C-alpha cells in the first residue's frame, strides 16, 4: 500500500516563510541602524543586528552573551539615570519612546542614539518581547550642537555689541569701555597710543603693580603689523597677548591689548576685543567732533569780540557761559601769542599753529584761569579770566609759561602780548591791545610785552605801518646812518645809549665801557654830522624818537 502524498500547500507555505525570513534578515542587516529583540522581563537580548559593531564598537555575540547588561554599562554617565527611568515608564505604559541619549564605545568615542521600540504583550498585558531600532544620530546631534553654539555665540556677540554701543552713546568714556572688555575677557586690558605710550588700563583681578610690570616688559617686545590681516591678532609670549589696532579717519591712533594673565582667551573674547576697539575709535571720533564744534564756537566768539559785535557785558558773559567758560567775578584781560619767526610750509605750519593754541590754553590751566582762545592767522588770541585782582601779574605768568612750553616742546621762539585790565564790555579792545603788544614784541624781542608799557612805542608801531615813520627817521638821522654805513666805528649805538641815559655822560661812558674822553670825542662827531647840539632837550627828544623808530623798522625788516 503506497504512502499518502504530502500536502503540497503546507510545504509551499513553509518554503515561503523561510524565504520571507531570509529576505527580512537580509533587509534588517543592511539598513544603517541596529535592530534588536529583547526579553525585558529577563533582561536578555535575543537578537541584535551586525550593525552594532560598526556603530557601537561591540560584536553582536558579546552584546548578547555578556552577563552584565552592556546597554546599561555603555550609557553615558550623564544620561544613564534619565534613560533608565524613561525605559521603565516605557515598559509599564508602552510609550512614549526614550529620549535621545549618548553611549560610550569601548574606544571612548561618544555616539548619539535615537531608540525607537515597540513592546509585544501577552493576553495578560505583560510585555513578552520588545523589538526596536537604534539609529546613529551623532552627525545630526553634532551639527545641531554646532548650530546651537553658533546661535549662542551670535547672541552673545550681539549682546556685547549692544553693551559697547550703549557705553559710547552714553559717553561713558574709554575707561568704561576697557572695564567692560576686561569683565568679558576676565583679563587685564591695556590701551596705548601711536607712540606706544600707555593711555589707560584695567587690571581686572590682577594686582595693579603686576599689570604695570608685565606691560613694561611686554611693551618692549613689539607687535608685528601684518598687512591684510583683519580683526584681533595673537602675539605669542609670556603672557600671550591678543591685540587689535585702533584707526581713526586720519590714520593709526593706537592699539588695544588683552593680556592673557588670568585665563586663556576664547573666540568670544576676541570678538569682544574687536568690538571694544571699534567703540573706542568711535568714542574718540565723537570726542574729536565735539571738540571741533566747541573749537569753532570758541573761535567765533573770540572773533566776534575782536570785531566788537556784542552789545553789552551781559551778552558777552552769557555767551561765554554757553561755551562752558564762566568769566563772571574774575579779573579780565587778553593775551596774544605768536612765533617770532615765520612758520614753515603749509602742512607743518598748520600743526604748529595748533600747538601754539594748545600750549597757551595749557598755560592758562596751570594758573587756574578761565580761557577762551582762537587762532587769528599765526597769532593766538585768548580772553583770560584770572581768579585774583592783579590781571597784569596773571597775564605775565601765563604768557611766560606759554612761551616756555612752546620752546621746550617744539623748539619755537615765540612772543606774547598782554592787554591792560578791562571789563567784560571792553574785551574787544583788550584783544586788540594784546595783539598790538605781541606784534611790537615780535619786532623788538622776545618775552611778554604789556600794552600799558608800550608808551611811545604804540604810536611808533602804528606809524610803522606806513611811510611816515621811515621818512621821520631819515630826516633826523640820515647823516649819521650814512656815516655808519661807510665806517667800521658806528655812532648810532653811542647815541642810543646816551639818549637812554637822559644825556648824562658818566653813566653813558660806563655802559659803553669807554673812557669819558672817548665819549666826548664821539658825541662831538655826532653833533658835527647832525649839525645840532645834543645838550638841547628838544633835540634829544626828536633823536630819541628817531632812534626808537629806527630800531622798530629794523626789527620789522628782519621778520
Amino acid at each position: 500500500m503506497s504512502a499518502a502524498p504530502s500536502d503540497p500547500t503546507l510545504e509551499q507555505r513553509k518554503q515561503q516563510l523561510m524565504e520571507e525570513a531570509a529576505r527580512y534578515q537580509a533587509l534588517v542587516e543592511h539598513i544603517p541602524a541596529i535592530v534588536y529583540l529583547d526579553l525585558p522581563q529577563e533582561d536578555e537580548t535575543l537578537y541584535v543586528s551586525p550593525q552594532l559593531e560598526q556603530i557601537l564598537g561591540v560584536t553582536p555575540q558579546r552584546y548578547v552573551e555578556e552577563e552584565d547588561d552592556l546597554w546599561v554599562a555603555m550609557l553615558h554617565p550623564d544620561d544613564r539615570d534619565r534613560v533608565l527611568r524613561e525605559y521603565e515608564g516605557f515598559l509599564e505604559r508602552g510609550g512614549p519612546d526614550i529620549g535621545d541619549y549618548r553611549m560610550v564605545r569601548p574606544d571612548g568615542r561618544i555616539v548619539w542614539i535615537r531608540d525607537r521600540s515597540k513592546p509585544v504583550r501577552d493576553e495578560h498585558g505583560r510585555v513578552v518581547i520588545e523589538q526596536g531600532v537604534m539609529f546613529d544620530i551623532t552627525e545630526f546631534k553634532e551639527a545641531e550642537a554646532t548650530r546651537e553654539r553658533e546661535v549662542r555665540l551670535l547672541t552673545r556677540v550681539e549682546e556685547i555689541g549692544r553693551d559697547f554701543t550703549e557705553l559710547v552713546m552714553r559717553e561713558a568714556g574709554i575707561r568704561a569701555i576697557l572695564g567692560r572688555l576686561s569683565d568679558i575677557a576676565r583679563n587685564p586690558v591695556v590701551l596705548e597710543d601711536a607712540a606706544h605710550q600707555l593711555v589707560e588700563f584695567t587690571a581686572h583681578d590682577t594686582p595693579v603693580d603686576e599689570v604695570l610690570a608685565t606691560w613694561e616688559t611686554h611693551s618692549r617686545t613689539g607687535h608685528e603689523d601684518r598687512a591684510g590681516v583683519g580683526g584681533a591678532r595673537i602675539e605669542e609670549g609670556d603672557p600671550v597677548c591678543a591685540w587689535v589696532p585702533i584707526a581713526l579717519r586720519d590714520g593709526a591712533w593706537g592699539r588695544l591689548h588683552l593680556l592673557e594673565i588670568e585665563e586663556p582667551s576664547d573666540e568670544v573674547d576676541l570678538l569682544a576685543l574687536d568690538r571694544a576697539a571699534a567703540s573706542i575709535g568711535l568714542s574718540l571720533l565723537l570726542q574729536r567732533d565735539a571738540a571741533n564744534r566747541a573749537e569753532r564756537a570758541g573761535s567765533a566768539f573770540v572773533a566776534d569780540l575782536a570785531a566788537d559785535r556784542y552789545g553789552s557785558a551781559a551778552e558777552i558773559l552769557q555767551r561765554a557761559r554757553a561755551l562752558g567758560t564762566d568769566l563772571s567775578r574774575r579779573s579780565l584781560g587778553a593775551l596774544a601769542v605768536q612765533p617770532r619767526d615765520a612758520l614753515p610750509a603749509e602742512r607743518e605750519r598748520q600743526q604748529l599753529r595748533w600747538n601754539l593754541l594748545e600750549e597757551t590754553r595749557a598755560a592758562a590751566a596751570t594758573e587756574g584761569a578761565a580761557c577762551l582762545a582762537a587762532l587769528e592767522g599765526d597769532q593766538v588770541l585768548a580772553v583770560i579770566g584770572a581768579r585774583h585782582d592783579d590781571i597784569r601779574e596773571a597775564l605775565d605768568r601765563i604768557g611766560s609759561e606759554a612761551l616756555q612750553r612752546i620752546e621746550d616742546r617744539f623748539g619755537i621762539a615765540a612772543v606774547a602780548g598782554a592787554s591792560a585790565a578791562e571789563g567784560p564790555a571792553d574785551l574787544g579792545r583788550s584783544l586788540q591791545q594784546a595783539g598790538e603788544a605781541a606784534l611790537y614784541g615780535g619786532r623788538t624781542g622776545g618775552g611778554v610785552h604789556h600794552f600799558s608799557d608800550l608808551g611811545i612805542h604804540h604810536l611808533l608801531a602804528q606809524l610803522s605801518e606806513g611811510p611816515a615813520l621811515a621818512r621821520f627817521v631819515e630826516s633826523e638821522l640820515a647823516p649819521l646812518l650814512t656815516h655808519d654805513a661807510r665806517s667800521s666805528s658806528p655812532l648810532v649805538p653811542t647815541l642810543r645809549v646816551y639818549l637812554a641815559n637822559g644825556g648824562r655822560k658818566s653813566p653813558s661812558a660806563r655802559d659803553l665801557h669807554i673812557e669819558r674822553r672817548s665819549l666826548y670825542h664821539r658825541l662831538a662827531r655826532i653833533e658835527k654830522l647832525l649839525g645840532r647840539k645834543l645838550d638841547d632837550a628838544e633835540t634829544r627828544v626828536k633823536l630819541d624818537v628817531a632812534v626808537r623808530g629806527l630800531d622798530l623798522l629794523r626789527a620789522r625788516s628782519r621778520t
Side-chain angles (χ1 to χ4, degrees), residues 246-453:
I246 297 175
L248 303 186
R249 287 190 292 258
D250 52 358
W253 184 90
R255 291 170 171 178
L256 180 61
H257 302 259
L258 176 61
L259 304 179
E260 296 185 9
I261 294 177
E262 299 174 27
E263 295 187 27
S265 299
D266 58 22
E267 55 188 346
V268 173
D269 300 332
L270 299 183
L271 288 169
L273 180 64
D274 281 331
R275 294 303 300 266
S279 298
I280 289 173
L282 179 58
S283 180
L284 291 170
L285 286 174
L286 291 175
Q287 291 175 15
R288 179 182 292 183
D289 289 344
N292 288 339
R293 288 194 298 272
E295 183 68 49
R296 289 192 294 270
S299 296
F301 174 68
V302 174
D304 288 344
L305 276 178
D308 201 21
R309 295 195 179 102
Y310 291 104
S312 66
E315 184 180 359
I316 291 172
L317 295 176
Q318 182 180 12
R319 176 74 182 277
R321 279 195 297 271
L323 294 172
T325 303
D326 189 359
L327 297 178
S328 61
R329 297 185 297 280
R330 287 179 179 257
S331 299
L332 302 179
L335 193 69
V337 178
Q338 66 180 51
R340 292 184 61 186
D341 300 318
L343 292 177
E346 182 60 31
R347 182 173 180 179
E348 186 177 356
R349 174 173 173 267
Q350 178 66 15
Q351 183 58 52
L352 289 174
R353 290 169 70 243
W354 282 107
N355 292 339
L356 294 179
L357 180 64
E358 290 304 314
E359 295 308 323
T360 301
R361 287 174 172 156
T366 61
E367 180 68 15
C371 176
L372 281 168
L375 283 168
E376 183 65 34
D378 288 343
Q379 192 177 73
V380 177
L381 291 177
V383 173
I384 302 295
R387 290 179 175 175
H388 48 76
D389 294 334
D390 192 347
I391 187 65
R392 178 188 174 96
E393 182 183 336
L395 292 176
D396 199 57
R397 285 203 299 267
I398 294 170
S400 298
E401 173 72 14
L403 299 183
Q404 190 64 54
R405 293 172 70 97
I406 290 167
E407 183 174 0
D408 290 345
R409 294 195 63 188
F410 310 109
I412 299 174
V415 64
S419 74
E422 299 284 3
D426 299 315
L427 284 175
R429 184 168 61 192
S430 295
L431 290 168
Q432 293 172 2
Q433 291 176 356
E436 288 185 22
L439 288 173
Y440 172 78
R443 296 170 186 141
T444 59
V448 180
H449 296 264
H450 292 268
F451 182 80
S452 57
D453 295 340

Side-chain angles (χ1 to χ4, degrees), residues 162-237:
R162 283 199 302 268
D163 287 349
F164 285 126
T165 300
E166 182 182 352
L167 289 173
V168 173
M169 299 308 295
R170 288 197 291 108
E171 299 181 3
I174 290 176
R175 184 168 182 79
I177 295 174
L178 295 185
R180 184 71 186 102
L181 174 60
S182 185
D183 288 341
I184 293 169
R186 306 164 306 284
N187 273 306
V189 176
V190 175
L191 177 64
E192 65 170 351
D193 62 16
H196 305 295
Q197 298 299 308
L198 188 149
V199 176
E200 186 63 87
F201 75 97
T202 55
H204 196 246
D205 292 335
T206 305
V208 170
D209 290 345
E210 181 181 343
V211 173
L212 293 177
T214 300
W215 174 251
E216 183 179 0
T217 302
H218 181 76
S219 62
R220 297 195 189 106
T221 62
H223 293 68
E224 181 183 357
D225 286 313
R226 296 181 291 280
V229 178
R233 284 91 152 154
I234 304 296
E235 203 76 28
E236 297 297 336

